[in-house]
Amino acid sequence: MLRPLLLSVAFAAVAGSALAQSQPYEQVEAPKTWRVEVGGGITHGFSATGNTGDDINYTAWGSANYKDVVYANGLDGVGWNAVKSDDLRAGVQLRPRFSAGDIEGSSLERPGLGADAALYAYKRFGGIVVGGRIAQDVSGDDAGMQYFASVGHQRVTPVGLLRVSGYVTGGDDKRLQRYYGITTEQAPGSGYQPYEASGGLSGAGAVAFLAIPVGKRFGLGGFVNYEQRLGDTKDSPLVDDEGIWRAGLIGVVRFSSAD
């Protein structure tokens, strides 16, 4: 019924290179001065535009980066790795915050497309990358603060690049109330009773992603993601299920500098 707060986690698994821009995974190909990716695919379990997540949705994808310092993609928005080394990345982002989507049969006003300003830091220990980010609404939607932490690992297999990660997410009172709560002013005519969602952890999940190269310029990827809702998010009347499965397939074409 409700679009999850963590759409970015699921689709980050689809486009594996997006994580490489802000997280210091070991390099699996020669560095380039610039890269651009365009493509798209199908997803189940979420929609960046607020469409019904239970349907099969078509999702476009695009990303670009310059020397892995300045980058942009459909998940992270525009970012800058202010600190960049082989095993450490930290910086700032202006992130899109995806639409929550309307609830069928209800007049309840849902959050639309917005923006967050974020600070992040990720450190690699051997083959494990650990870190997270804190994001604050800057679009005037009264959506407060969200936080996110993850631990991930990737390896090259005979089939392609496999990446697995686990994560937790949460927010302050404003963020969770905006997405999962119902104020006394909103309740009349909405079909719901007032519900106050307090800040804290809102979800925990795991993602597995496999990227398969097709020649030098093309790539295919698939992901599966399970997220368990926690705390007041789990108990919200706007949520149908305590857990949600997401999956998707995507194809991209890549362009890069000659070096």
Side-chain angles (χ1 to χ4, degrees):
M1 179 182 294
L2 179 70
R3 296 284 69 73
L5 278 175
L6 215 59
L7 301 180
S8 57
V9 171
F11 202 65
V14 185
S17 63
L19 286 177
Q21 294 171 2
S22 59
Q23 299 189 23
Y25 284 103
E26 294 183 52
Q27 292 284 341
V28 296
E29 56 186 352
K32 301 289 185 178
T33 300
W34 61 267
R35 294 182 187 273
V36 174
E37 287 185 353
V38 292
I42 57 174
T43 60
H44 173 79
F46 82 94
S47 167
T49 60
N51 292 334
T52 302
D54 290 339
D55 295 339
I56 299 297
N57 293 293
Y58 296 91
T59 305
W61 172 255
S63 71
N65 80 74
Y66 178 74
K67 293 185 176 181
D68 280 341
V69 174
V70 179
Y71 57 90
N73 62 66
L75 301 173
D76 296 326
V78 179
W80 172 45
N81 283 318
V83 177
K84 176 182 175 291
S85 65
D86 177 63
D87 61 358
L88 175 66
R89 298 203 180 174
V92 296
Q93 296 171 336
L94 182 62
R95 302 178 58 83
R97 192 178 65 253
F98 299 119
S99 172
D102 294 331
I103 298 174
E104 185 176 355
S106 174
S107 63
L108 189 67
E109 180 186 355
R110 307 301 304 128
L113 181 66
D116 289 340
L119 299 174
Y120 65 88
Y122 291 92
K123 170 72 173 176
R124 189 177 77 242
F125 300 92
I128 305 295
V129 172
V130 179
R133 66 174 180 266
I134 299 175
Q136 173 68 43
D137 170 47
V138 292
S139 56
D141 196 25
D142 199 30
M145 180 182 294
Q146 183 192 40
Y147 48 85
F148 167 84
S150 68
V151 54
H153 171 72
Q154 75 173 21
R155 59 179 296 182
V156 177
T157 73
V159 178
L161 180 68
L162 176 65
R163 180 175 295 158
V164 294
S165 63
Y167 62 85
V168 294
T169 187
D172 64 5
D173 290 349
K174 284 187 175 181
R175 176 60 60 103
L176 297 191
Q177 178 66 22
R178 185 69 181 97
Y179 277 81
Y180 297 104
I182 304 162
T183 66
T184 54
E185 294 78 15
Q186 292 174 320
S190 70
Y192 296 99
Q193 295 297 315
Y195 180 77
E196 182 175 355
S198 300
L201 288 178
S202 60
V207 178
F209 163 72
L210 180 65
I212 303 172
V214 181
K216 294 182 178 180
R217 182 164 290 183
F218 299 92
L220 295 173
F223 79 95
V224 63
N225 165 227
Y226 177 76
E227 182 178 327
Q228 174 67 45
R229 294 186 172 105
L230 304 174
D232 286 355
T233 298
K234 179 184 66 175
D235 297 329
S236 170
L238 304 181
V239 171
D240 285 334
D241 302 309
E242 293 185 3
I244 184 171
W245 285 96
R246 308 181 183 103
L249 295 171
I250 190 172
V252 298
V253 57
R254 309 181 71 189
F255 306 92
S256 66
S257 58
D259 58 348

